[in-house]
Amino acid sequence: MEIKDLAGMSEPLTKLIDAIAKGCKWIAEPYQIKRIADANAYASSVQSKEDFKQGLRNSLLEYTQRSMLSVRENRQIENLANIINYAGQELRTIDKINDTPVSSEWSSRFFDYAQNVYEEEAQTIWAKILAQEAATPGKFFKRTLDILHNIEPFEAKWFAELCQFVLDDTFVHKDIIHSKFFEYNKLQSMIDCGLLNAQECIISFDNTVDSINFKSYYLKKGISQLQPSNISMSGFTLTDAGCQLYKITQISSNLEFVKKIQEQIKNNYGLNFEIMEYKTQEHQ
């Protein structure tokens, strides 16, 4: 039996199993594919999600039942079952699933790393990556997996803190250091682990820009007699990996910092921007 032969299976689950099959040999067995497909029928209630998760654990254990498992191997099985379960839930919230298959090399690297992710909070991050990569292959680079695998837990927390100050999905204003919103040693760590570019740069907004976007707020330009040619800010940009991880980081913008940028624009350019809050979670 091949994955394409499972008539009636939902498209999100099909893409998820295809990604898993390329990284975990156990899922590629025909009876395992059928079992996961059947389990999908019960994915609408809290109890069924637990049943589905237990089925994943049992499948992994069956594949390895001919050998004595170590404590570490049992934990790895538990880790993968949790991540796959979370990824299945995440996929059900994604509207667009394209037909492009996930790279075998990407899947192999993902599961090599994911099996050793023990903390639940980190597992949900890896699950989001798996689900979004299954939906849109190429969305997360292999080097993003490498960076996420190698960073320390405290660095991951620092990155989440940094995301409070990112504007336009990529730019970090240098005033986060001068105004003591973010410590310099933390900023240097973000550079060292490959999430932030070291070279300071300038970002400019021309006079046609109506808004400046943050994670959970945006600055909306009001009517003004003044029309400067552009608004310029100095700072740093996130790397490709940083941008990709920023988009799945659940954290709100620092309102005090947003107010500071609003004040700077008024003082430096005479422009009035109103602080607006996003009504949905699409920017978080």
Side-chain angles (χ1 to χ4, degrees), residues 199-211:
Q199 184 67 44
E200 187 174 326
C201 64
I202 295 176
I203 184 173
S204 296
F205 302 91
D206 64 32
N207 57 20
T208 64
V209 171
D210 292 323
S211 64

Side-chain angles (χ1 to χ4, degrees), residues 183-200:
E183 296 173 17
Y184 179 78
N185 69 302
K186 293 182 180 180
L187 192 78
Q188 186 60 54
S189 289
M190 297 300 93
I191 293 171
D192 292 344
C193 60
L195 295 169
L196 191 69
N197 289 307
Q199 184 67 44
E200 187 174 326

